[in-house]
Amino acid sequence: MANMLQKVQEIGSHAMDIYNYLLAGIDPRLKEYPMMQTPIPMSAILLCYLFFVLYLGPRTMAHRKPFQLKEAMIVYNFSLVALSIIIVYEFLMSGWATTYTWRCDPVDTSNSPQALRMVRVAWLFWFSKIIELIDTVFFVLRKRHGQVTFLHIFHHSFMPWTWWWGIVHAPGGMGSFHAMVNSTVHIIMYFYYGLSAAGPRFQKFLWWKKYMTAIQLIQFVLVSLHATQYYFMESCDYQFPILIHLIWMYGTFFFVLFSNFWVQAYVKGKRLPKQGAEQRPNGAAAHANGIDHGASNGAARHENSGSHLSKMKKA
């Protein structure tokens, strides 16, 4: 028993050493930004998020009618469109359209205006991931339980947690490529969601829903290819190669996932069941798979009225 306690203490001591080492490596330029001093506030937010979407929210809504959040969702989605446009522009002006080579680009650790601009947009991208937790809150309040999948929750919680560690150590450089691409896709995606939430009168403008998945696949290909070139360079002075490994694995994983969805939905013709908004295949992340998470209210009423008419005709 004493030996076991001693081993537990040693493991705890090593864990604290690693934690302190990681905190010591935080970029000093980020310490003035909210929630960048330690991972505790960020982790607390994510734990509250998990507690709400997995327990408190479903329990509270169990005997309540789903909320009608049409106006809130329209404002939310189009606000994220605007925010994503700003993020993409700032990434471009901070290096990707100015000084970066699009190959081996190290993190600029200076206090130059451009380097500080990259630090600011890196933090803004991370903060946008905290805002996007509201995606799942909308699902819960509207009782769209089929859309609160494991992969959706995993994506929304794992992404901001890992990106926090990424930006506090490497705000910029080639590791920020996937963030810029992801924000570009979000411009299109949340614009689609905003139109979907606006009601059935906008459905005729959503004929390109099928291509949302193709856009996602292109995103993952670009991210993985950009990370892959690192392994074929004779030398690269990017300071945090572990981030490149994680980005490559992340892009490849989601490429496989959405390739399977594309084959099932558009090659084999297996359509998703409709319930106001179409559910995700294979538990795909709600905000990543290109399937409408905002089509409710008007769209749902339109489908329901069609089903009622069909039943009346049969009767």
Side-chain angles (χ1 to χ4, degrees):
M1 187 66 179
N3 290 336
M4 183 178 295
L5 289 174
Q6 185 177 358
K7 289 181 178 180
V8 171
Q9 290 176 348
E10 290 177 356
I11 293 173
S13 177
H14 289 315
M16 285 302 300
D17 290 341
I18 294 172
Y19 177 75
N20 291 329
Y21 172 77
L22 291 173
L23 288 185
I26 291 179
D27 192 311
R29 299 172 300 175
L30 272 160
K31 289 186 177 180
E32 296 181 358
Y33 286 82
M35 294 184 285
M36 291 290 107
Q37 294 73 31
T38 74
I40 294 176
M42 170 268 298
S43 300
I45 290 173
L46 295 177
L47 287 174
C48 290
Y49 162 78
L50 292 174
F51 176 72
F52 177 81
V53 301
L54 294 176
Y55 178 76
L56 182 61
R59 188 179 181 87
T60 303
M61 295 299 298
H63 303 292
R64 296 173 182 266
K65 292 183 179 180
F67 285 94
Q68 301 299 319
L69 302 171
K70 177 179 178 180
E71 291 76 13
M73 292 176 62
I74 293 173
V75 172
Y76 169 76
N77 286 307
F78 284 116
S79 295
L80 281 176
V81 170
L83 179 60
S84 298
I85 291 174
I86 293 172
I87 291 173
V88 172
Y89 176 78
E90 288 298 307
F91 269 124
L92 290 171
M93 293 299 101
S94 299
W96 288 102
T98 53
T99 59
Y100 280 19
T101 65
W102 295 67
R103 299 196 75 239
C104 178
D105 295 299
V107 179
D108 185 350
T109 58
S110 71
N111 287 318
S112 68
Q114 188 168 357
L116 294 177
R117 192 173 186 176
M118 177 62 80
V119 170
R120 182 170 62 248
V121 71
W123 178 86
L124 187 60
F125 177 77
W126 172 81
F127 188 69
S128 73
K129 299 302 151 191
I130 299 298
I131 296 174
E132 288 169 12
L133 298 178
I134 299 175
D135 287 0
T136 323
V137 175
F138 280 147
F139 288 156
V140 173
L141 295 180
R142 295 165 60 228
K143 302 184 76 169
R144 299 301 176 99
H145 304 304
Q147 294 169 330
V148 185
T149 62
F150 166 78
L151 193 54
H152 171 86
I153 296 173
F154 172 79
H155 178 85
H156 276 67
S157 56
F158 185 73
M159 181 71 172
W161 195 84
T162 54
W163 183 253
W164 188 92
W165 292 101
I167 67 167
V168 297
H169 290 95
M174 65 183 300
S176 64
F177 176 77
H178 78 287
M180 182 179 65
V181 174
N182 182 253
S183 297
T184 303
V185 172
H186 279 196
I187 296 172
I188 304 171
M189 185 185 68
Y190 280 107
F191 180 73
Y192 171 83
Y193 293 159
L195 289 179
S196 298
R201 65 183 181 278
F202 290 96
Q203 297 303 306
K204 61 183 178 181
F205 301 113
L206 301 177
W207 54 267
W208 43 279
K209 177 176 68 174
K210 171 182 177 180
Y211 301 102
M212 290 290 291
T213 304
I215 293 171
Q216 291 291 344
L217 288 172
I218 293 172
Q219 171 189 200
F220 302 134
V221 169
L222 291 176
V223 169
S224 295
L225 285 177
H226 183 263
T228 299
Q229 66 178 334
Y230 175 82
Y231 303 108
F232 296 93
M233 296 177 185
E234 292 184 2
S235 63
C236 179
D237 55 354
Y238 180 70
Q239 299 95 319
F240 299 93
I242 188 173
L243 296 179
I244 300 299
H245 306 327
L246 291 174
I247 291 168
W248 186 89
M249 289 188 293
Y250 199 80
T252 303
F253 170 73
F254 277 101
F255 176 79
V256 172
L257 174 71
F258 291 114
S259 294
N260 177 67
F261 164 58
W262 180 272
V263 170
Q264 296 298 324
Y266 300 118
V267 176
K268 295 185 178 181
K270 297 179 180 180
R271 290 295 182 177
L272 303 175
K274 292 183 178 180
Q275 50 177 8
E278 294 185 29
Q279 291 188 18
R280 273 67 180 156
N282 303 323
H287 98 272
N289 65 8
I291 303 301
D292 174 22
H293 86 254
S296 63
N297 303 320
R301 289 194 295 270
H302 178 73
E303 291 179 1
N304 290 338
S305 62
S307 63
H308 292 326
L309 289 173
S310 177
K311 291 178 180 178
M312 291 174 65
K313 288 180 179 180
K314 289 181 180 179

Short mmCIF file of all heavy atoms in Angstrom, two decimals, residues 193-214:
data_model
loop_
_atom_site.label_atom_id
_atom_site.label_comp_id
_atom_site.label_asym_id
_atom_site.label_seq_id
_atom_site.Cartn_x
_atom_site.Cartn_y
_atom_site.Cartn_z
N TYR A 193 -26.16 28.32 -42.78
CA TYR A 193 -26.99 28.10 -41.60
C TYR A 193 -27.91 29.28 -41.36
O TYR A 193 -29.06 29.12 -40.95
CB TYR A 193 -26.11 27.89 -40.37
CG TYR A 193 -25.29 26.62 -40.38
CD1 TYR A 193 -24.15 26.51 -39.58
CD2 TYR A 193 -25.64 25.54 -41.18
CE1 TYR A 193 -23.39 25.35 -39.58
CE2 TYR A 193 -24.89 24.39 -41.18
CZ TYR A 193 -23.76 24.30 -40.38
OH TYR A 193 -23.02 23.16 -40.38
N GLY A 194 -27.43 30.49 -41.58
CA GLY A 194 -28.25 31.68 -41.37
C GLY A 194 -29.44 31.71 -42.31
O GLY A 194 -30.56 32.03 -41.90
N LEU A 195 -29.20 31.37 -43.57
CA LEU A 195 -30.31 31.31 -44.53
C LEU A 195 -31.29 30.21 -44.16
O LEU A 195 -32.51 30.38 -44.29
CB LEU A 195 -29.78 31.07 -45.95
CG LEU A 195 -29.03 32.24 -46.61
CD1 LEU A 195 -28.57 31.82 -48.01
CD2 LEU A 195 -29.93 33.47 -46.71
N SER A 196 -30.76 29.07 -43.71
CA SER A 196 -31.63 27.96 -43.31
C SER A 196 -32.53 28.35 -42.15
O SER A 196 -33.71 28.01 -42.12
CB SER A 196 -30.79 26.75 -42.92
OG SER A 196 -30.03 26.30 -44.02
N ALA A 197 -31.97 29.08 -41.19
CA ALA A 197 -32.75 29.47 -40.02
C ALA A 197 -33.80 30.51 -40.36
O ALA A 197 -34.77 30.67 -39.62
CB ALA A 197 -31.81 30.02 -38.94
N ALA A 198 -33.64 31.20 -41.49
CA ALA A 198 -34.55 32.28 -41.85
C ALA A 198 -35.92 31.77 -42.30
O ALA A 198 -36.86 32.55 -42.38
CB ALA A 198 -33.94 33.16 -42.93
N GLY A 199 -36.03 30.47 -42.61
CA GLY A 199 -37.34 29.93 -42.95
C GLY A 199 -37.43 29.38 -44.36
O GLY A 199 -36.50 29.49 -45.16
N PRO A 200 -38.58 28.79 -44.71
CA PRO A 200 -38.75 28.09 -45.99
C PRO A 200 -38.64 29.00 -47.20
O PRO A 200 -38.34 28.53 -48.29
CB PRO A 200 -40.14 27.46 -45.88
CG PRO A 200 -40.85 28.28 -44.85
CD PRO A 200 -39.80 28.70 -43.88
N ARG A 201 -38.89 30.29 -47.04
CA ARG A 201 -38.84 31.16 -48.22
C ARG A 201 -37.42 31.31 -48.76
O ARG A 201 -37.22 31.78 -49.88
CB ARG A 201 -39.40 32.55 -47.87
CG ARG A 201 -38.61 33.34 -46.86
CD ARG A 201 -39.32 34.66 -46.56
NE ARG A 201 -38.60 35.49 -45.60
CZ ARG A 201 -38.65 35.34 -44.29
NH1 ARG A 201 -39.41 34.37 -43.77
NH2 ARG A 201 -37.98 36.15 -43.50
N PHE A 202 -36.44 30.88 -47.97
CA PHE A 202 -35.05 30.94 -48.42
C PHE A 202 -34.52 29.58 -48.88
O PHE A 202 -33.36 29.48 -49.26
CB PHE A 202 -34.15 31.48 -47.30
CG PHE A 202 -34.37 32.93 -46.99
CD1 PHE A 202 -35.22 33.31 -45.96
CD2 PHE A 202 -33.76 33.91 -47.74
CE1 PHE A 202 -35.43 34.65 -45.66
CE2 PHE A 202 -33.97 35.24 -47.45
CZ PHE A 202 -34.81 35.62 -46.41
N GLN A 203 -35.37 28.55 -48.83
CA GLN A 203 -34.90 27.21 -49.19
C GLN A 203 -34.45 27.13 -50.65
O GLN A 203 -33.54 26.37 -50.98
CB GLN A 203 -36.02 26.19 -48.94
CG GLN A 203 -36.44 26.05 -47.49
CD GLN A 203 -35.29 25.69 -46.58
OE1 GLN A 203 -34.58 24.71 -46.83
NE2 GLN A 203 -35.08 26.48 -45.55
N LYS A 204 -35.06 27.92 -51.52
CA LYS A 204 -34.69 27.88 -52.94
C LYS A 204 -33.26 28.38 -53.16
O LYS A 204 -32.67 28.11 -54.21
CB LYS A 204 -35.67 28.70 -53.76
CG LYS A 204 -35.72 30.18 -53.38
CD LYS A 204 -36.76 30.91 -54.19
CE LYS A 204 -36.85 32.39 -53.78
NZ LYS A 204 -37.89 33.11 -54.57
N PHE A 205 -32.72 29.10 -52.19
CA PHE A 205 -31.36 29.59 -52.32
C PHE A 205 -30.34 28.62 -51.73
O PHE A 205 -29.14 28.92 -51.74
CB PHE A 205 -31.22 30.95 -51.61
CG PHE A 205 -32.13 32.01 -52.13
CD1 PHE A 205 -33.15 32.51 -51.36
CD2 PHE A 205 -31.97 32.50 -53.42
CE1 PHE A 205 -34.00 33.50 -51.83
CE2 PHE A 205 -32.82 33.49 -53.91
CZ PHE A 205 -33.83 33.99 -53.12
N LEU A 206 -30.80 27.47 -51.25
CA LEU A 206 -29.91 26.52 -50.59
C LEU A 206 -29.68 25.27 -51.42
O LEU A 206 -29.41 24.19 -50.88
CB LEU A 206 -30.49 26.14 -49.22
CG LEU A 206 -30.71 27.31 -48.26
CD1 LEU A 206 -31.34 26.83 -46.97
CD2 LEU A 206 -29.39 28.01 -47.97
N TRP A 207 -29.76 25.40 -52.73
CA TRP A 207 -29.57 24.25 -53.62
C TRP A 207 -28.16 23.69 -53.53
O TRP A 207 -27.90 22.55 -53.92
CB TRP A 207 -29.84 24.68 -55.06
CG TRP A 207 -29.04 25.88 -55.49
CD1 TRP A 207 -29.43 27.18 -55.43
CD2 TRP A 207 -27.71 25.88 -56.02
NE1 TRP A 207 -28.42 28.00 -55.89
CE2 TRP A 207 -27.35 27.23 -56.26
CE3 TRP A 207 -26.78 24.87 -56.32
CZ2 TRP A 207 -26.11 27.60 -56.77
CZ3 TRP A 207 -25.54 25.23 -56.82
CH2 TRP A 207 -25.22 26.59 -57.05
N TRP A 208 -27.23 24.46 -52.99
CA TRP A 208 -25.83 24.05 -52.94
C TRP A 208 -25.47 23.33 -51.64
O TRP A 208 -24.29 23.18 -51.33
CB TRP A 208 -24.93 25.27 -53.13
CG TRP A 208 -25.37 26.48 -52.34
CD1 TRP A 208 -26.34 27.37 -52.68
CD2 TRP A 208 -24.86 26.91 -51.08
NE1 TRP A 208 -26.47 28.34 -51.71
CE2 TRP A 208 -25.56 28.09 -50.72
CE3 TRP A 208 -23.86 26.44 -50.24
CZ2 TRP A 208 -25.32 28.78 -49.55
CZ3 TRP A 208 -23.60 27.12 -49.06
CH2 TRP A 208 -24.33 28.28 -48.73
N LYS A 209 -26.48 22.88 -50.91
CA LYS A 209 -26.21 22.17 -49.65
C LYS A 209 -25.29 20.98 -49.86
O LYS A 209 -24.38 20.73 -49.04
CB LYS A 209 -27.53 21.70 -49.03
CG LYS A 209 -27.32 20.89 -47.75
CD LYS A 209 -28.64 20.53 -47.11
CE LYS A 209 -29.42 19.53 -47.94
NZ LYS A 209 -30.65 19.09 -47.25
N LYS A 210 -25.50 20.25 -50.94
CA LYS A 210 -24.69 19.06 -51.21
C LYS A 210 -23.20 19.40 -51.27
O LYS A 210 -22.34 18.62 -50.85
CB LYS A 210 -25.13 18.44 -52.53
CG LYS A 210 -24.23 17.34 -53.06
CD LYS A 210 -24.74 16.82 -54.39
CE LYS A 210 -23.79 15.77 -54.96
NZ LYS A 210 -24.27 15.25 -56.26
N TYR A 211 -22.89 20.59 -51.77
CA TYR A 211 -21.49 20.94 -51.97
C TYR A 211 -20.80 21.40 -50.69
O TYR A 211 -19.59 21.60 -50.67
CB TYR A 211 -21.39 22.03 -53.05
CG TYR A 211 -21.99 21.56 -54.36
CD1 TYR A 211 -23.26 21.97 -54.76
CD2 TYR A 211 -21.29 20.66 -55.17
CE1 TYR A 211 -23.81 21.52 -55.94
CE2 TYR A 211 -21.84 20.21 -56.36
CZ TYR A 211 -23.11 20.64 -56.74
OH TYR A 211 -23.66 20.18 -57.90
N MET A 212 -21.57 21.55 -49.62
CA MET A 212 -20.97 21.89 -48.34
C MET A 212 -20.01 20.79 -47.89
O MET A 212 -18.93 21.06 -47.36
CB MET A 212 -22.05 22.10 -47.28
CG MET A 212 -22.88 23.36 -47.48
SD MET A 212 -21.93 24.86 -47.15
CE MET A 212 -21.72 24.73 -45.38
N THR A 213 -20.40 19.54 -48.10
CA THR A 213 -19.53 18.44 -47.73
C THR A 213 -18.28 18.43 -48.60
O THR A 213 -17.17 18.17 -48.11
CB THR A 213 -20.27 17.10 -47.86
OG1 THR A 213 -21.46 17.15 -47.07
CG2 THR A 213 -19.40 15.95 -47.37
N ALA A 214 -18.44 18.75 -49.89
CA ALA A 214 -17.28 18.81 -50.78
C ALA A 214 -16.31 19.90 -50.32
O ALA A 214 -15.08 19.72 -50.36
CB ALA A 214 -17.74 19.08 -52.21
#
